[in-house]
């Protein structure tokens, strides 16, 4: 049975919506079997207040009210720190213009080349590949032409060839996109990308599975050489402005370094 990765139009399914505070609160509540009445009583607010929040008909709550609601939901079923942070981000969304794939600064190619033989690239918040060195393009064959990591993972057969944990990596990429959209706020390109990716059943399913906050912590990724099939691992480091918000004009710089987990781990192209 197909997972909808290649060619599933998804026209019979509902739209994939950008993350919102109301829909996220409702999902957390319903997954715990908590009615609006119970949540209202347990957090000290009115039922109509929660109803309007979940429908998006009123402003987001204060942190005090949000904390009271999360505390009650946590008693019924654990609310993870990531889920709580996701709610906090959604409750105070700044509005910014859409990210643009504009021209790359003149010094970027030199920076990328300086990291060879390690793969390195610049991404925007939508996981578009703004620039990448040759090692990065060898690590993820076809990503330069596809132009976007999620598009590459969903549509390019090479993705499954080089990613032994393809489904886990896809889930992390989707959760990352959702988390960054929550931080930055809704923009015109959000709807365009969600319409494009929402035609894949696996994307729609994973979109509502979990939340992820972009912290910049190193991540180990298992890989397979596209030409030889040899397995190896890279430790990906995300470098960005360490401000409290993710802005569209702040590209992510990622670099993959060999791990020390096995003697066979080595930089790409060595």
């Amino acid at each position: 049975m197909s997972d909808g990765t290649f060619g599933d139009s998804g026209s019979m399914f509902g739209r994939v919506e950008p993350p919102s505070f109301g829909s996220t609160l409702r999902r957390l509540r319903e997954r715990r079997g908590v009615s609006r009445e119970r949540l209202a009583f347990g957090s000290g607010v009115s039922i109509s207040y929660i109803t309007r929040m979940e429908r998006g008909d009123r402003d987001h709550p204060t942190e005090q009210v949000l904390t009271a609601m999360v505390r009650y939901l946590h008693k019924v079923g654990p609310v993870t720190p990531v889920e709580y942070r996701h709610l906090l981000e959604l409750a105070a969304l700044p509005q910014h213009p859409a990210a643009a794939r504009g021209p790359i600064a003149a010094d970027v190619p030199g920076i990328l080349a300086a990291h060879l033989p390690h793969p390195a690239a610049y991404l925007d918040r939508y996981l578009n590949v703004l620039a990448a060195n040759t090692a990065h393009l060898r690590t993820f064959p076809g990503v330069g032409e596809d132009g976007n990591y999620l598009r590459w993972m969903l549509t390019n057969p090479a993705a499954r060839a080089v990613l032994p944990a393809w489904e886990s990596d896809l889930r992390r990429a989707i959760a990352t996109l959702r988390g960054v959209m929550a931080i930055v706020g809704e923009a015109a390109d959000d709807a365009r990308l969600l319409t494009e990716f929402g035609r894949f059943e696996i994307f729609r399913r994973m979109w509502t599975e979990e939340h992820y906050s972009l912290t910049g912590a190193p991540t180990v990724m298992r890989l397979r050489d596209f030409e030889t099939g040899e397995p190896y691992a890279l430790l990906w480091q995300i470098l960005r402005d360490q401000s409290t918000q993710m802005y569209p004009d702040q590209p992510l710089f990622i670099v993959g370094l060999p791990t020390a987990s096995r003697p066979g781990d080595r930089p790409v192209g060595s």
Side-chain angles (χ1 to χ4, degrees):
M1 183 176 180
S2 172
D3 61 12
T5 305
F6 305 111
D8 177 4
S9 67
S11 58
M12 72 290 293
F13 297 96
R15 292 180 63 244
V16 178
E17 299 288 347
S20 69
F21 176 82
S23 63
T24 301
L25 176 64
R26 184 178 66 252
R27 185 166 55 253
L28 292 175
R29 176 179 62 76
E30 290 178 346
R31 284 180 176 176
R32 288 158 180 79
V34 175
S35 66
R36 288 185 178 130
E37 290 79 5
R38 283 180 59 194
L39 179 58
F41 180 80
S43 54
V45 297
S46 69
I47 299 172
S48 61
Y49 181 89
I50 291 177
T51 300
R52 293 198 304 273
M53 278 194 298
E54 291 187 352
R55 291 177 178 173
D57 295 337
R58 62 153 294 119
D59 292 336
H60 296 141
T62 65
E63 185 173 351
Q64 181 179 6
V65 171
L66 174 58
T67 300
M69 291 190 295
V70 170
R71 184 180 295 116
Y72 181 81
L73 291 173
H74 185 72
K75 290 179 180 178
V76 180
V79 176
T80 69
V82 170
E83 288 174 328
Y84 180 51
R85 178 174 175 178
H86 188 68
L87 278 172
L88 287 173
E89 291 164 347
L90 288 169
L93 295 178
Q95 298 297 316
H96 300 293
R101 298 186 65 184
I104 296 297
D107 60 341
V108 165
I111 295 173
L112 292 171
H115 284 81
L116 290 170
H118 309 302
Y122 283 92
L123 312 177
D124 70 11
R125 76 178 180 106
Y126 296 105
L127 305 183
N128 288 317
V129 182
L130 303 176
N133 64 14
T134 55
H136 195 91
L137 298 178
R138 286 198 304 272
T139 304
F140 306 103
V143 74
E145 292 79 10
D146 291 324
N148 179 282
Y149 267 101
L150 273 172
R151 184 180 299 118
W152 175 77
M153 296 179 77
L154 288 166
T155 65
N156 197 318
R160 288 182 184 259
V162 300
L163 299 175
W166 174 83
E167 187 164 338
S168 296
D169 292 331
L170 177 63
R171 177 175 285 106
R172 181 163 46 198
I174 291 173
T176 298
L177 178 66
R178 182 182 176 91
V180 173
M181 281 187 177
I183 296 173
V184 179
E186 186 174 354
D189 281 353
D190 292 1
R192 179 184 59 78
L193 273 185
L194 292 181
T195 297
E196 175 186 351
F197 299 148
R199 64 192 176 96
F200 299 102
E201 186 277 334
I202 194 169
F203 180 90
R204 297 192 300 272
R205 171 165 53 83
M206 289 184 175
W207 182 254
T208 58
E209 279 186 354
E210 60 184 81
H211 313 295
Y212 179 72
S213 292
L214 195 61
T215 63
T219 300
V220 174
M221 176 182 282
R222 292 190 291 119
L223 293 155
R224 188 180 292 120
D225 189 281
F226 186 65
E227 295 181 358
T228 68
E230 179 188 356
Y232 64 102
L234 290 176
L235 182 69
W236 290 97
Q237 177 68 62
I238 299 174
L239 305 174
R240 65 176 176 86
D241 184 353
Q242 296 301 311
S243 62
T244 58
Q245 300 290 339
M246 173 70 68
Y247 292 98
D249 58 351
Q250 295 177 354
L252 297 177
F253 178 75
I254 62 172
V255 58
L257 303 173
T259 72
S261 60
R262 301 179 314 168
D265 293 345
R266 84 286 190 263
V268 174
S270 62

